[in-house]
Amino acid sequence: QVQLVESGGGLVQPGGSLRLSCAASGIAFSIYAMAWYRQAPGKQRELVARISSSSSTEYADSVKGRFAISRDNVKNTGYLQMNSLKPEDTAVYYCKAIFHPNNYWGQGTQVTVSA
């Protein structure tokens, strides 16, 4: 059974930092690309960052220079380090594992940026 379990969300003040984790089980994690998406209330889910199986990365323009995606293939875990958080970063954050044609989603973790 495939499971992706996110953790690390919470409430943080503007300018603060959070690190999200996505623990994978039931898949050969190292061959999967991994991505983080987010969905704010009333908005469509959007791609935040992606890391390939060879650790190439890409980011949405809105988070470049503030967020960093990484992975640990020994721990079967992906990470999203989020710095200089803004209120507009408030959303539910989801991780996704991708190895065509398979795609798996986590359940999401809430990130709220507010004073």
Side-chain angles (χ1 to χ4, degrees), residues 36 38 43 46-49 58-67 82-86 88-89 93:
W36 288 93
R38 67 186 180 187
K43 295 189 176 181
E46 62 175 358
L47 177 66
V48 176
E58 59 184 87
Y59 297 92
D61 287 344
S62 58
V63 306
K64 280 181 183 175
R66 300 189 298 123
F67 290 12
M82 305 186 295
N83 300 324
S84 302
L85 282 160
K86 304 175 181 180
E88 51 264 43
D89 295 318
Y93 284 71

Side-chain angles (χ1 to χ4, degrees), residues 3 6 13 15 27 33 40 44 50 67 94 96 111:
Q3 278 194 313
E6 299 102 334
Q13 292 187 340
I27 58 172
Q44 289 191 329
R50 186 181 185 277
F67 290 12
Y94 299 88
K96 181 181 179 182
V111 171

Side-chain angles (χ1 to χ4, degrees), residues 13-27:
Q13 292 187 340
S17 298
L18 285 174
R19 188 175 83 152
L20 305 184
S21 299
C22 174
S25 59
I27 58 172

Side-chain angles (χ1 to χ4, degrees), residues 1-3 7 11-12 19-20 22 33-35 41 45-46 49 56 58 63 68 76 81 85 94 98-100 111 114:
Q1 181 182 0
V2 178
Q3 278 194 313
S7 61
L11 173 64
V12 63
R19 188 175 83 152
L20 305 184
C22 174
M34 209 206 76
R45 193 172 296 190
E46 62 175 358
S56 297
E58 59 184 87
V63 306
N76 288 349
Q81 178 67 44
L85 282 160
Y94 299 88
I98 308 143
F99 185 75
H100 184 74
V111 171
S114 175

